[in-house]
């Protein structure tokens, strides 16, 4: 179990190591009691993110590439082209 202070120290070290590899830490969601964190990071490739973790001996279960989508991204292309909005 990590304390909040220990987590912030570790996350700051990860951000410092990440800078040298072109990786940026956007956010982390943590459960300190269970010792789990979900970090949202971006970088040139998955290997760079792995190297940032390895640089400070920070273990991880997995790295998953994701992309950001919004409601507009999820609309049907046909509907988006011809859709109109009528205010009443």
């Amino acid at each position: 179990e990590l304390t909040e202070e220990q987590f912030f120290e570790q996350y700051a070290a990860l951000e410092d190591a990440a800078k040298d590899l072109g990786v940026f830490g956007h956010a982390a969601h943590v459960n300190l009691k269970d010792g789990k964190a979900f970090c949202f990071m971006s970088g040139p490739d998955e290997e760079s993110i792995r190297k940032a973790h390895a640089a400070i001996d920070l273990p991880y279960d997995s790295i998953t590439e994701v992309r950001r989508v919004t409601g507009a991204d999820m609309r049907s292309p046909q509907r988006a082209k011809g859709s109109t909005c009528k205010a009443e």
Side-chain angles (χ1 to χ4, degrees):
E1 185 174 324
L2 288 174
T3 67
E4 189 171 295
E5 184 178 339
Q6 289 170 321
F7 172 77
F8 284 125
E9 287 173 5
Q10 198 167 35
Y11 194 74
L14 177 61
E15 288 182 311
D16 287 342
K19 287 178 193 174
D20 295 335
L21 298 163
V23 174
F24 179 75
H26 296 276
H29 297 263
V30 299
N31 179 324
L32 296 175
K33 182 181 175 198
D34 291 341
K36 296 286 183 180
F38 295 90
C39 299
F40 294 93
M41 305 184 84
S42 60
D45 53 33
E46 186 177 318
E47 186 61 23
S48 297
I49 294 171
R50 290 183 193 283
K51 286 179 180 179
H53 284 77
I56 63 162
D57 296 320
L58 181 61
Y60 57 88
D61 294 330
S62 63
I63 295 175
T64 304
E65 185 175 338
V66 297
R67 66 183 181 114
R68 181 174 183 252
V69 295
T70 65
D73 297 324
M74 300 173 81
R75 292 189 186 125
S76 165
Q78 287 105 354
R79 182 172 175 213
K81 288 180 187 173
S83 64
T84 58
C85 187
K86 183 179 174 184
E88 294 187 26

